[in-house]
């Protein structure tokens, strides 16, 4: 099963022009984001081109934000990182996460026909029975040039494809997989190809200067809801109504006193879950 994501299979399944045309499959790695970072750091003639993908069947040091861990049993998931060289202003960085989460939502809808959405800022969610559960997450790590532009950006994504119920991680936000939510296994190769195809298309629109926000915001499950947002880093929590996002993908939160807050990153909990 797990050899289905080897280079030859992937190259014949995808129809991208440049994305994933440089493709590295690894049975096991620490973290695909870290491996891509190491490839970049070498800085030799074989510097990885934009669009390089590193994909693994198993990570023993998979990471979320703030060095939280990302856990997935071997051969059950899509675990990959994509290299971009956007030279965008730093504040545009979130467009990459937006483009990739949109691509993932569309590919999951197409391949698994499930109710799927995005929990701001970086979670892929599936509606199961009566609640939204986490089925994937995105991790963006970038480095800036001296003039503050995004010289390189590594976009990592993990999608729980065929993780059986008993192997789902015990996480703060309840987890699910496409298998558990839909009751049937989903071919990882088709899902990967669909994702990469859409990611290339969304990236190219963003590259022409158009924010993915208008389409992305429609997939947000938090909009119009009462939420708590815990700021990543400081740990401070704000509560209010999630009113929308701005063009950079920042959350607009109206607190009880009517004041509008613009939040760049954080962890959201829906207040009606309490
Ligand atoms: C994320 O972080 O959701 C981003 C995850 C990115 C993973 C990919 S896999 C390929 C690439 N290489 C890497 O090393 N990472 C990227 P965050 O929002 O901080 O959520 C992390 C939290 O999700 C953890 O603290 C757990 O509670 C939970 N979690 C861990 N594994 C999970 C899983 N398989 N499904 C659902 N939730 C999970």
């Amino acid at each position: 099963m797990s050899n289905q994501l080897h280079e030859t299979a992937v190259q014949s399944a995808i129809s991208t022009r440049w994305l994933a045309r440089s493709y590295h499959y690894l049975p096991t790695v620490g973290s695909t984001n870290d491996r891509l970072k190491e490839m970049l750091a070498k800085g030799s003639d074989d510097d990885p081109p934009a669009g390089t993908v590193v994909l693994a069947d198993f990570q023993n040091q998979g990471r979320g934000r703030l060095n939280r861990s990302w856990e997935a049993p071997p051969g059950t998931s899509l675990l990959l990182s994509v290299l971009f060289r956007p030279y965008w202003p730093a504040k545009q960085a979130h467009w990459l996460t937006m483009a990739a989460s949109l691509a993932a939502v569309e590919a999951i809808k197409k391949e698994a026909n499930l109710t799927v959405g995005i929990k701001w800022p970086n979670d892929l969610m599936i509606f199961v029975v009566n609640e939204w559960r986490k089925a994937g997450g995105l991790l963006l790590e970038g480095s800036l040039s001296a003039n503050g532009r995004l010289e390189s950006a590594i976009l990592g994504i993990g999608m729980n494809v065929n993780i059986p119920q008993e192997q789902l991680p015990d996480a703060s936000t309840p987890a699910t997989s496409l298998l558990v939510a839909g009751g049937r296994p989903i071919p990882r190769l088709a899902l990967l190809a669909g994702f990469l195809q859409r990611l290339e298309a969304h990236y190219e629109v963003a590259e022409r200067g158009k924010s993915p926000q208008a389409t992305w915001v429609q997939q947000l499950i938090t909009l119009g809801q009462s939420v708590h947002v815990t700021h990543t880093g400081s740990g401070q929590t704000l509560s209010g109504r999630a009113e929308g996002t701005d063009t950079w993908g920042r959350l607009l939160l109206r607190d009880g006193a009517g004041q509008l807050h613009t939040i760049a990153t954080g962890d959201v909990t829906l207040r009606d879950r309490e």
Side-chain angles (χ1 to χ4, degrees):
M1 273 293 273
S2 56
N3 66 1
Q4 66 187 350
L5 301 179
H6 281 177
E7 160 106 48
T8 39
V10 169
Q11 290 305 326
S12 51
I14 60 177
S15 50
T16 54
R17 284 184 299 113
W18 53 273
L19 195 89
R21 289 306 176 185
S22 163
Y23 178 89
H24 304 260
Y25 167 83
L26 302 158
T28 301
V29 72
S31 148
T32 55
N33 267 40
D34 291 344
R35 176 54 64 93
L36 201 40
K37 235 180 264 175
E38 285 160 21
M39 288 165 67
L40 264 179
K42 277 195 192 142
S44 57
D45 289 347
D46 53 357
D47 223 14
T52 296
V53 166
V54 172
L55 179 143
D57 259 324
F58 181 64
Q59 298 182 122
N60 50 36
Q61 280 168 30
R63 293 188 288 109
R65 294 172 301 156
L66 300 171
N67 282 328
R68 295 170 184 154
S69 68
W70 188 259
E71 291 159 32
T76 60
S77 298
L78 287 178
L79 306 166
L80 64 143
S81 300
V82 187
L83 174 68
F84 295 97
R85 299 180 184 275
Y87 292 98
W88 296 345
K91 74 189 227 185
Q92 223 169 294
H94 193 52
W95 287 14
L96 289 168
T97 313
M98 293 155 83
S101 51
L102 256 183
V105 162
E106 291 165 359
I108 292 170
K109 274 190 187 152
K110 168 81 183 4
E111 295 303 324
N113 195 23
L114 292 165
T115 304
V116 49
I118 299 164
K119 183 152 81 73
W120 184 90
N122 69 317
D123 289 347
L124 298 172
M125 307 292 286
I126 293 179
F127 197 78
V128 190
V129 189
N130 59 358
E131 66 172 357
W132 288 99
R133 294 177 168 241
K134 182 160 169 171
L138 293 97
L139 174 69
L140 181 71
E141 298 181 297
S143 75
L144 298 178
S145 65
N147 61 358
R149 298 212 153 228
L150 256 186
E151 200 158 40
S152 65
I154 295 175
L155 189 281
I157 180 164
M159 286 188 238
N160 301 340
V161 188
N162 294 323
I163 307 184
Q165 176 75 51
E166 63 281 7
Q167 290 185 47
L168 284 169
D170 190 14
S172 46
T173 303
T176 193
S177 67
L178 308 193
L179 168 70
V180 170
R184 66 183 169 102
I186 298 299
R188 290 187 304 159
L189 182 60
L191 184 64
L192 174 68
F195 168 70
L196 294 171
Q197 188 67 33
R198 289 172 175 86
L199 177 57
E200 183 178 89
H202 286 305
Y203 178 82
E204 286 181 352
V205 174
E207 179 67 21
R208 291 195 289 272
K210 186 167 185 287
S211 169
Q213 196 249 359
T215 332
W216 174 78
V217 78
Q218 292 171 22
Q219 306 296 338
L220 289 186
I221 63 167
T222 28
L223 239 53
Q225 308 269 339
S226 282
V227 296
H228 295 302
V229 185
T230 306
H231 183 258
T232 314
S234 77
Q236 276 190 332
T237 298
L238 276 171
S239 302
R241 189 172 173 275
E243 285 203 346
T245 62
D246 66 10
T247 188
W248 310 114
R250 295 179 301 190
L251 186 68
L252 306 176
L253 184 84
R254 179 88 56 190
D255 69 19
Q259 197 189 335
L260 195 64
H261 302 264
T262 304
I263 307 169
T265 184
D267 285 296
V268 170
T269 358
L270 294 174
R271 279 159 84 176
D272 61 12
R273 272 187 51 92
E274 293 168 350

PDB file of all heavy atoms in Angstrom, residues 135-148:
ATOM      1  N   ALA A 135      -9.112  16.928  10.985  1.00  0.00           N
ATOM      2  CA  ALA A 135      -8.635  15.877  10.086  1.00  0.00           C
ATOM      3  C   ALA A 135      -7.324  16.260   9.413  1.00  0.00           C
ATOM      4  O   ALA A 135      -6.788  15.497   8.611  1.00  0.00           O
ATOM      5  CB  ALA A 135      -9.686  15.593   9.018  1.00  0.00           C
ATOM      6  N   GLY A 136      -6.813  17.438   9.749  1.00  0.00           N
ATOM      7  CA  GLY A 136      -5.557  17.841   9.139  1.00  0.00           C
ATOM      8  C   GLY A 136      -5.114  19.188   9.665  1.00  0.00           C
ATOM      9  O   GLY A 136      -5.887  19.903  10.316  1.00  0.00           O
ATOM     10  N   GLY A 137      -3.847  19.501   9.409  1.00  0.00           N
ATOM     11  CA  GLY A 137      -3.321  20.788   9.859  1.00  0.00           C
ATOM     12  C   GLY A 137      -2.194  21.245   8.952  1.00  0.00           C
ATOM     13  O   GLY A 137      -1.600  20.437   8.226  1.00  0.00           O
ATOM     14  N   LEU A 138      -1.948  22.548   8.979  1.00  0.00           N
ATOM     15  CA  LEU A 138      -0.907  23.130   8.129  1.00  0.00           C
ATOM     16  C   LEU A 138       0.106  23.880   8.979  1.00  0.00           C
ATOM     17  O   LEU A 138      -0.252  24.493   9.986  1.00  0.00           O
ATOM     18  CB  LEU A 138      -1.519  24.095   7.100  1.00  0.00           C
ATOM     19  CG  LEU A 138      -2.404  23.410   6.062  1.00  0.00           C
ATOM     20  CD1 LEU A 138      -3.865  23.502   6.438  1.00  0.00           C
ATOM     21  CD2 LEU A 138      -2.179  24.020   4.688  1.00  0.00           C
ATOM     22  N   LEU A 139       1.337  23.815   8.563  1.00  0.00           N
ATOM     23  CA  LEU A 139       2.430  24.456   9.294  1.00  0.00           C
ATOM     24  C   LEU A 139       3.322  25.200   8.310  1.00  0.00           C
ATOM     25  O   LEU A 139       3.972  24.585   7.474  1.00  0.00           O
ATOM     26  CB  LEU A 139       3.260  23.379  10.020  1.00  0.00           C
ATOM     27  CG  LEU A 139       4.523  23.849  10.727  1.00  0.00           C
ATOM     28  CD1 LEU A 139       4.170  24.700  11.936  1.00  0.00           C
ATOM     29  CD2 LEU A 139       5.358  22.642  11.161  1.00  0.00           C
ATOM     30  N   LEU A 140       3.326  26.538   8.401  1.00  0.00           N
ATOM     31  CA  LEU A 140       4.133  27.346   7.480  1.00  0.00           C
ATOM     32  C   LEU A 140       5.361  27.874   8.195  1.00  0.00           C
ATOM     33  O   LEU A 140       5.251  28.460   9.274  1.00  0.00           O
ATOM     34  CB  LEU A 140       3.295  28.531   6.961  1.00  0.00           C
ATOM     35  CG  LEU A 140       4.020  29.432   5.975  1.00  0.00           C
ATOM     36  CD1 LEU A 140       4.217  28.737   4.635  1.00  0.00           C
ATOM     37  CD2 LEU A 140       3.256  30.738   5.765  1.00  0.00           C
ATOM     38  N   GLU A 141       6.525  27.671   7.579  1.00  0.00           N
ATOM     39  CA  GLU A 141       7.768  28.195   8.152  1.00  0.00           C
ATOM     40  C   GLU A 141       8.534  28.905   7.041  1.00  0.00           C
ATOM     41  O   GLU A 141       8.798  28.319   5.999  1.00  0.00           O
ATOM     42  CB  GLU A 141       8.598  27.055   8.732  1.00  0.00           C
ATOM     43  CG  GLU A 141       7.860  26.346   9.873  1.00  0.00           C
ATOM     44  CD  GLU A 141       8.654  25.217  10.486  1.00  0.00           C
ATOM     45  OE1 GLU A 141       8.954  24.241   9.764  1.00  0.00           O
ATOM     46  OE2 GLU A 141       8.971  25.305  11.664  1.00  0.00           O
ATOM     47  N   GLY A 142       8.836  30.177   7.303  1.00  0.00           N
ATOM     48  CA  GLY A 142       9.473  30.943   6.232  1.00  0.00           C
ATOM     49  C   GLY A 142      10.766  31.579   6.671  1.00  0.00           C
ATOM     50  O   GLY A 142      11.062  31.664   7.855  1.00  0.00           O
ATOM     51  N   SER A 143      11.545  32.019   5.690  1.00  0.00           N
ATOM     52  CA  SER A 143      12.697  32.843   6.049  1.00  0.00           C
ATOM     53  C   SER A 143      12.696  34.085   5.165  1.00  0.00           C
ATOM     54  O   SER A 143      12.357  34.037   3.975  1.00  0.00           O
ATOM     55  CB  SER A 143      13.996  32.050   5.966  1.00  0.00           C
ATOM     56  OG  SER A 143      14.349  31.873   4.644  1.00  0.00           O
ATOM     57  N   LEU A 144      13.065  35.195   5.806  1.00  0.00           N
ATOM     58  CA  LEU A 144      12.964  36.491   5.137  1.00  0.00           C
ATOM     59  C   LEU A 144      14.323  36.941   4.610  1.00  0.00           C
ATOM     60  O   LEU A 144      15.355  36.662   5.213  1.00  0.00           O
ATOM     61  CB  LEU A 144      12.447  37.549   6.121  1.00  0.00           C
ATOM     62  CG  LEU A 144      11.052  37.327   6.702  1.00  0.00           C
ATOM     63  CD1 LEU A 144      10.714  38.440   7.687  1.00  0.00           C
ATOM     64  CD2 LEU A 144      10.008  37.292   5.594  1.00  0.00           C
ATOM     65  N   SER A 145      14.305  37.664   3.506  1.00  0.00           N
ATOM     66  CA  SER A 145      15.540  38.262   2.995  1.00  0.00           C
ATOM     67  C   SER A 145      15.796  39.558   3.766  1.00  0.00           C
ATOM     68  O   SER A 145      14.955  40.001   4.560  1.00  0.00           O
ATOM     69  CB  SER A 145      15.389  38.558   1.508  1.00  0.00           C
ATOM     70  OG  SER A 145      14.394  39.550   1.354  1.00  0.00           O
ATOM     71  N   ALA A 146      16.946  40.189   3.508  1.00  0.00           N
ATOM     72  CA  ALA A 146      17.317  41.414   4.236  1.00  0.00           C
ATOM     73  C   ALA A 146      16.263  42.508   4.060  1.00  0.00           C
ATOM     74  O   ALA A 146      16.033  43.309   4.962  1.00  0.00           O
ATOM     75  CB  ALA A 146      18.678  41.891   3.760  1.00  0.00           C
ATOM     76  N   ASN A 147      15.590  42.533   2.900  1.00  0.00           N
ATOM     77  CA  ASN A 147      14.580  43.586   2.694  1.00  0.00           C
ATOM     78  C   ASN A 147      13.165  43.152   3.100  1.00  0.00           C
ATOM     79  O   ASN A 147      12.177  43.727   2.672  1.00  0.00           O
ATOM     80  CB  ASN A 147      14.611  44.117   1.251  1.00  0.00           C
ATOM     81  CG  ASN A 147      14.299  43.019   0.240  1.00  0.00           C
ATOM     82  OD1 ASN A 147      14.097  41.863   0.612  1.00  0.00           O
ATOM     83  ND2 ASN A 147      14.254  43.386  -1.030  1.00  0.00           N
ATOM     84  N   GLY A 148      13.084  42.103   3.941  1.00  0.00           N
ATOM     85  CA  GLY A 148      11.807  41.728   4.537  1.00  0.00           C
ATOM     86  C   GLY A 148      10.882  40.968   3.610  1.00  0.00           C
ATOM     87  O   GLY A 148       9.676  40.929   3.829  1.00  0.00           O
TER      88      GLY A 148
END
